[in-house]
Amino acid sequence: MARLLLLTAGTEGDVRPFVNLAARLVARGHEVGLAAPAGDAEMVAESGAQHLKLAIDFRDMARQGQTHGAGLPGLIDRLGRTHTLTGAGTLTRVADALFETTARGRSFRPDAIIAHPKYTGAADLAQTLQVPWAQVALLPCIAPTAVVPNAALFARDMGPWANRASYCLTPLLARPLAGRTDRWRAESLGLPPRRKAPPPAARLVLNAFSAALLPRIDDWGPEVATTGFWRAEDDAAADAGLPIEAAAFATRATARRRPLIHIGFGSMSGVDGNGVARSLARAIERADVAALVTTGWGGIAGRALDRLAGDRVLVLDRMPHARVFPHVDLVVHHGGVGTLASGLMAGRAAVICPWGADQPFWAARAVEGGYGLKGPGLRQLAAGGLGTGDRLGRTIRRALRHGPLTDTARRIGRRLRAEDGAHAAMLAIEDMLRSR
């Protein structure tokens, strides 16, 4: 058995897959170190891995709106602000914390490293330790293909040449940190600058998503493993059912002949939650539905929504997807791929209100694949206009009345449930170790 260092950072959508993989690796007999935000200590403890704590509060960053727009404009914005990348800059603070945590991984003495793309120093650590490393892609953004564009930057097919070329843009995100990276290499790892001693390329790219959500891709080589989603082996939440209060609310909705939907935007925040609440209240009224609403990281002002929508809503802080999605008729969300997959595994179609990053890509895929509709974006909802609420209400009604959406969602969900992505990733990692 091997000593494996897993590196992740970000929201729950970034951390939970690594926790699930760590649990599988520990159960297999491997010794696992898992670098993750300090605030996720309880989640990491569930896996049995040793926690290397990252001193960055991504929830607080999101709450303060320290984020960028979606797609190429967001990339240009980040690259164009190099004058702010000083000691006090957000990007620099995050980079320094990631570098520090990566360097601490050296003391774990790993036989291999499995890293989220945020850890731009993973290759440098592998170079120091002379061990193989794998890069994890939670969306198509690392391994180039002509079939779909870089999902972190573009939503729609741009043609084979442009699709493939778009993956060259991902490394540009770290370009403003080149000098800082070289200083860290010298001070923490004893390495010369990258231009003199380039770090090794990843031996393996682990696509931690399902091919079922994409067109067929034949131009990824053997170094790319598309495993399926990294789910927990035993999800107790799936068998728990709705909490008592939510179950009573669902019963009342049925008695009033109102379809029951779920609305939640996960870790999305940094927008006017009161404006979102106004738009949602209007949409719920116009669609004539009952809604279980989870407020997540604050993208929805729960008290305001409760006041505006009355007995049509039940507002909760959070609830595992596996407990609620099987009991609703439709899922309205931000388009995070983990939430999308959870809805599909429950056989539920989606209305997606994207906020940024890869969410417009998955919204486009849901529409093209026939298992979802695109609603107003989260920023539009935050503006709080009645017209935006009306438009979302009409989209919800259309999704509920369009049976083929749910039929397609159920078909894809059966395929997703048949996959065991965490197990497939574990086997790919073990193959990488054997071929050292």
Side-chain angles (χ1 to χ4, degrees):
M1 295 293 103
R3 294 178 63 84
L4 302 171
L5 178 62
L6 278 57
L7 306 172
T8 190
T11 67
E12 184 170 353
D14 297 289
V15 176
R16 175 61 70 180
F18 279 78
V19 168
N20 292 340
L21 175 61
R24 297 295 187 92
L25 292 168
V26 169
R28 183 83 152 189
H30 297 290
E31 294 185 60
V32 179
L34 176 54
D40 292 317
E42 184 177 346
M43 196 191 313
V44 174
E46 296 172 7
S47 72
Q50 177 182 328
H51 190 186
L52 284 71
K53 294 180 180 178
L54 171 65
I56 288 288
D57 187 342
F58 287 90
R59 180 169 186 164
D60 186 59
M61 286 175 56
R63 189 183 300 115
Q64 296 178 31
Q66 295 173 339
T67 53
H68 298 270
L72 191 59
L75 173 63
I76 293 171
D77 180 50
R78 279 168 284 197
L79 293 176
R81 296 186 181 211
T82 54
H83 63 281
T84 69
L85 300 180
T86 59
T90 300
L91 177 57
T92 325
R93 284 193 300 105
V94 173
D96 285 347
L98 292 170
F99 283 147
E100 187 273 333
T101 304
T102 303
R104 276 193 285 122
R106 189 175 184 178
S107 64
F108 186 74
R109 296 178 290 106
D111 299 306
I113 300 165
I114 298 91
H116 188 290
K118 286 189 178 76
Y119 282 84
T120 58
D124 308 281
L125 181 60
Q127 184 178 18
T128 300
L129 299 174
Q130 296 186 338
V131 298
W133 75 287
Q135 192 163 30
V136 176
L138 299 174
L139 54 134
C141 64
I142 302 296
T145 173
V147 179
V148 294
N150 183 332
L153 300 172
F154 301 98
R156 296 192 178 277
D157 186 357
M158 302 182 295
W161 183 89
N163 283 346
R164 178 172 285 277
S166 69
Y167 291 83
C168 298
L169 296 172
T170 299
L172 294 180
L173 294 169
R175 179 174 289 181
L177 299 169
R180 207 171 196 87
T181 300
D182 282 342
R183 286 193 296 275
W184 170 73
R185 280 169 58 92
E187 294 169 3
S188 298
L189 304 179
L191 293 174
R194 280 184 168 185
R195 67 181 182 279
K196 294 184 178 180
R203 187 82 62 83
L204 174 68
V205 174
L206 291 168
N207 284 336
F209 49 83
S210 176
L213 302 188
L214 299 173
R216 178 170 174 164
I217 297 177
D218 294 323
D219 56 353
W220 278 331
E223 76 286 356
V224 180
T226 303
T227 61
F229 293 100
W230 297 356
R231 298 183 287 121
E233 187 169 18
D234 297 308
D235 192 347
D239 300 321
L242 287 172
I244 293 174
E245 185 181 15
F249 179 80
T251 299
R252 289 195 298 273
T254 300
R256 294 168 181 171
R257 297 185 179 181
R258 289 175 179 166
L260 180 64
I261 69 172
H262 176 267
I263 302 175
F265 301 127
S267 59
M268 299 303 102
S269 57
V271 296
D272 179 3
N274 289 303
V276 174
R278 287 193 296 274
S279 293
L280 292 182
R282 181 79 169 189
I284 290 165
E285 179 185 3
R286 287 292 180 264
D288 193 22
V289 295
L292 288 167
V293 179
T294 48
T295 57
W297 280 19
I300 304 171
R303 289 182 180 177
L305 180 58
D306 196 37
R307 183 180 68 254
L308 291 166
D311 65 358
R312 288 183 176 272
V313 300
L314 176 64
V315 178
L316 303 167
D317 178 26
R318 58 184 301 164
M319 184 164 42
H321 294 158
R323 289 194 71 174
V324 61
F325 287 0
H327 304 282
V328 301
D329 301 301
L330 180 72
V331 181
V332 179
H333 61 86
H334 56 298
V337 66
T339 307
L340 178 62
S342 295
L344 290 170
M345 281 187 275
R348 300 299 178 260
V351 169
I352 298 178
C353 301
W355 179 86
D358 57 318
Q359 296 158 19
F361 174 87
W362 295 115
R365 286 301 312 145
V367 173
E368 293 166 10
Y371 50 85
L373 298 178
K374 184 176 181 295
L378 187 54
R379 286 182 176 84
Q380 292 173 286
L381 293 177
L386 296 180
T388 303
D390 287 342
R391 182 153 66 94
L392 177 58
R394 289 194 298 270
T395 305
I396 290 171
R397 287 175 65 104
R398 185 153 60 96
L400 288 168
R401 292 173 176 176
H402 190 56
L405 285 177
T406 299
D407 293 341
T408 303
R410 287 173 177 163
R411 175 174 53 79
I412 295 175
R414 286 192 292 271
R415 182 172 169 184
L416 296 184
R417 291 193 300 273
E419 297 175 341
D420 189 346
H423 183 77
M426 179 176 66
L427 296 181
I429 292 165
E430 291 175 344
D431 284 344
M432 179 181 72
L433 288 165
R434 283 192 289 269
S435 64
R436 289 181 61 178

